[in-house]
Amino acid sequence: MISRVKGTQDILPARFTAKPDAQIERWLLVERVAREAFRRYGFEEIRTPIIERTELFERGVGAETDVNKEMYTFEDRDGEMVSLRPESTAPTVRAYSEHGMFNQAGLVKLFYIGPQFRRERPQKGRYRQFWQIGVEVLGQSDEPAIEAEVIEMLYWFLMELGISDTELLINSIGDGACRPAYISALREAIRERLPNLCGSCRQRYETNPLRVLDCKVESCQVHLAELPLISDSLCDACGNHFSEFRRLLDQRGIAYKIEPRLVRGLDYYMRTAFEITGSSLGAQNTLIGGGRYDGLSEILGGQPVKGFGFASGIERLVMSVPESTINLGVNRPELFVACVGADSRDYAFGVARRLRAAGISVIVDLEGRKLKKALAVANSLDAQYSLIIGEDEIKSGSYVLRDMKTGEQTSLRESEIIDTLKYRRL
RNA sequence: GCGAGCAUAGCUCAGUUGGUUAGAGCGCCUGACUGUGGAUCAGGAGGUCACGGGUUCAAGCCCCGUUGCUCGCCCCA
């Protein structure tokens, strides 16, 4: 049998899988709560294509970043290079520009929910096809109020999901005015200590010096403590921006930890960077990551646009949602219709159709089973009620409604059945 | 890209120092019960022991390789 591609997964009704992050009921909950939370803050949904020109990501996320090297890229039949999207900020900014949204008077607040693709080695909480929920605030303003409100919204979102054991990490990574000088100072300081650092630190000194700050090797810690921090090198504009951002978080009572070593992996980030981490996720514990990217639009050849946003991995959210928030029974049928005899089946189709028109979820036994077997199927589907229709019922116009939990049976007409089931819902 | 662990029925797992025809629980099918599910009882189906090679009189078990899954490194959501 042909199996699924490595690093992908099937999302199934919970009764077919014990893996929490593969249960559709959990996914539907996360998506529903996200849409509702974002709606309250004035965000609108956008869907961009899954494939884009490779150039969009090479310029957007940076050609030398890991994300870019992990892309699924191929040559289309006409010779054009296209890629499965590894993230959705660059596509969203592309769409913003391509559809002239910059002509809007105010901020454009967008959110997306969709699959992304990166060819990494799969592990817990990291897949080759993974889903992200993200938001982007685009416009001419870089007010820290935008950032604080987005984070406030995130906390509302997480609270509604019942995810409470989280930590907010924030940092400012500077801008074009102050970051270059900091990076060269950092590189200089690392070089002096290079012989004392571990192998991967030496590697990162070459590829991404900011990452050296993040090393977890014990023997490196004492040397890392001596390295300069970006927070000491921020220009006035970045420093003011960061303190205003913090003031607005304080005002909202949102706790945070300043993490001077927090860096984003993609080239387009500047100034505010943040991350929300969760427990019980294993090594991949970042639930949400985001930041400011004021230069991105111009890198892509568009108008100057300021932007702030985040992305969150749905798999990781789903794994973090506690059992108590989930209703695994959302899909259970309200009514199972069992028929006695082939003639009554034809009759039952009409009854079922009218009950469905009234809004009730109905499964009819299409297999012509004996009553005993039909009820067994109703039981395994966890139907709330069964409806038994045979010759006697057709004659009288009243059908036997059986409560599958108590076994209690009553003879009811169609309108009474509708009333009973609707009443039960309240 | 690098490292480690695991792979036996649909699912969760036993399987002794290598020894006859590979087991259990759950699930599935049939019946006890011709218009009444769940509980009980009786019976049944279902296996290339991941794949390929090797050692041996003999391999689910030992050795090598491959593939897959899982976890970690890197990096990230």
Side-chain angles (χ1 to χ4, degrees):
Chain A
M1 188 57 199
I2 296 166
S3 60
R4 65 183 194 272
V5 171
K6 182 202 283 278
T8 64
Q9 64 170 350
D10 298 313
I11 312 301
L12 309 168
R15 65 196 182 105
F16 296 115
T17 177
K19 279 185 68 185
D21 55 326
Q23 298 175 339
I24 192 73
E25 290 85 350
R26 290 171 175 267
W27 283 68
L28 294 175
L29 173 82
V30 168
E31 291 168 17
R32 180 171 57 74
V33 170
R35 285 194 168 91
E36 175 56 22
F38 300 166
R39 185 191 68 79
R40 292 189 202 183
Y41 282 82
F43 283 80
E44 300 173 278
E45 185 160 357
I46 183 173
R47 301 191 190 184
T48 62
I50 280 174
I51 55 172
E52 296 273 2
R53 296 175 203 275
T54 300
E55 194 186 0
L56 175 67
F57 302 113
E58 283 180 344
R59 287 165 66 174
V61 309
E64 295 308 312
T65 59
D66 288 287
V67 167
N68 202 286
K69 289 169 191 156
E70 291 158 355
M71 283 199 298
Y72 281 96
T73 295
F74 56 94
E75 186 179 340
D76 204 349
R77 293 191 190 183
D78 58 6
E80 180 175 38
M81 296 307 291
V82 294
S83 296
L84 265 38
R85 63 182 183 204
E87 58 101 44
S88 283
T89 296
T92 301
V93 171
R94 194 222 77 230
Y96 174 87
S97 189
E98 198 161 334
H99 298 283
M101 297 184 203
F102 42 76
N103 287 319
Q104 273 292 319
L107 294 168
V108 175
K109 303 161 86 170
L110 301 170
F111 76 92
Y112 58 84
I113 298 178
Q116 321 289 335
F117 303 84
R118 291 179 202 172
R119 201 182 181 293
E120 300 174 89
R121 188 72 155 257
Q123 65 190 66
K124 187 179 178 69
R126 192 174 73 186
Y127 300 91
R128 288 183 174 180
Q129 176 178 332
F130 60 104
W131 286 63
Q132 283 186 331
I133 293 178
V135 316
E136 315 292 351
V137 180
L138 298 162
Q140 295 310 311
S141 169
D142 60 0
E143 281 292 321
I146 296 169
E147 304 165 13
E149 188 177 77
V150 165
I151 287 171
E152 174 190 312
M153 177 176 80
L154 274 172
Y155 270 89
W156 180 260
F157 170 55
L158 292 174
M159 188 193 74
E160 293 263 291
L161 288 176
I163 300 174
S164 53
D165 194 10
T166 60
E167 192 171 25
L168 170 64
L169 309 174
I170 63 171
N171 192 23
S172 176
I173 56 175
D175 63 8
C178 52
R179 187 150 52 152
Y182 168 69
I183 289 182
S184 50
L186 176 66
R187 196 186 281 273
E188 177 64 26
I190 295 172
R191 197 178 52 193
E192 290 168 7
R193 295 164 176 81
L194 214 48
N196 300 318
L197 298 176
C198 71
S200 43
C201 276
R202 280 177 233 165
Q203 178 70 37
R204 283 180 288 219
Y205 165 72
E206 303 288 345
T207 57
N208 190 348
L210 287 172
R211 280 278 160 207
V212 173
L213 293 167
D214 205 22
C215 183
K216 281 129 198 150
V217 175
E218 195 64 38
S219 61
C220 289
Q221 299 308 313
V222 61
H223 304 291
L224 300 185
E226 299 167 355
L227 296 176
L229 294 174
I230 180 76
S231 50
D232 299 324
S233 310
L234 293 179
C235 60
D236 286 351
C238 287
N240 291 339
H241 185 96
F242 193 46
S243 49
E244 173 66 0
F245 170 56
R246 281 152 51 198
R247 187 186 70 80
L248 292 168
L249 289 180
D250 292 338
Q251 186 197 44
R252 287 169 170 77
I254 296 172
Y256 55 85
K257 188 171 141 193
I258 296 175
E259 179 52 89
R261 303 174 310 174
L262 176 66
V263 171
R264 304 268 78 214
L266 310 180
D267 282 359
Y268 53 64
Y269 282 110
M270 57 174 288
R271 287 197 177 162
T272 306
F274 76 97
E275 209 167 280
I276 295 178
T277 56
S279 53
S280 75
L281 281 170
Q284 311 300 326
N285 71 341
T286 304
L287 267 179
I288 296 163
R292 174 161 291 286
Y293 48 86
D294 293 348
L296 177 57
S297 176
E298 282 169 284
I299 292 172
L300 300 179
Q303 319 275 322
V305 176
K306 290 171 179 169
F308 179 80
F310 69 79
S312 181
I314 300 188
E315 289 83 357
R316 295 181 189 179
L317 289 171
V318 162
M319 282 188 281
S320 304
V321 173
E323 207 68 40
S324 56
T325 316
I326 309 286
N327 177 8
L328 290 178
V330 288
N331 290 332
R332 67 186 282 217
E334 292 174 279
L335 186 69
F336 185 94
V337 179
C339 323
V340 181
D343 294 341
S344 58
R345 203 150 64 106
D346 285 351
Y347 183 89
F349 293 149
V351 176
R353 196 169 60 241
R354 289 187 294 276
L355 293 175
R356 285 164 175 155
I360 296 164
S361 76
V362 181
I363 294 179
V364 183
D365 172 38
L366 300 173
E367 296 166 279
R369 294 170 184 274
K370 292 189 282 190
L371 182 59
K372 183 183 172 60
K373 296 298 171 197
L375 288 176
V377 169
N379 191 54
S380 74
L381 290 171
D382 199 22
Q384 294 169 32
Y385 289 92
S386 286
L387 191 65
I388 299 164
I389 301 180
E391 271 180 48
D392 300 344
E393 286 77 13
I394 293 172
K395 256 180 227 158
S396 69
S398 290
Y399 320 114
V400 175
L401 184 70
R402 179 180 177 86
D403 184 319
M404 294 300 284
K405 193 171 178 185
T406 63
E408 188 185 335
Q409 297 194 163
T410 41
S411 185
L412 298 174
R413 312 190 70 80
E414 243 176 67
S415 61
E416 296 170 320
I417 292 166
I418 292 168
D419 289 344
T420 303
L421 296 206
K422 295 229 156 167
Y423 177 76
R424 188 182 195 274
R425 270 192 210 154
L426 302 176

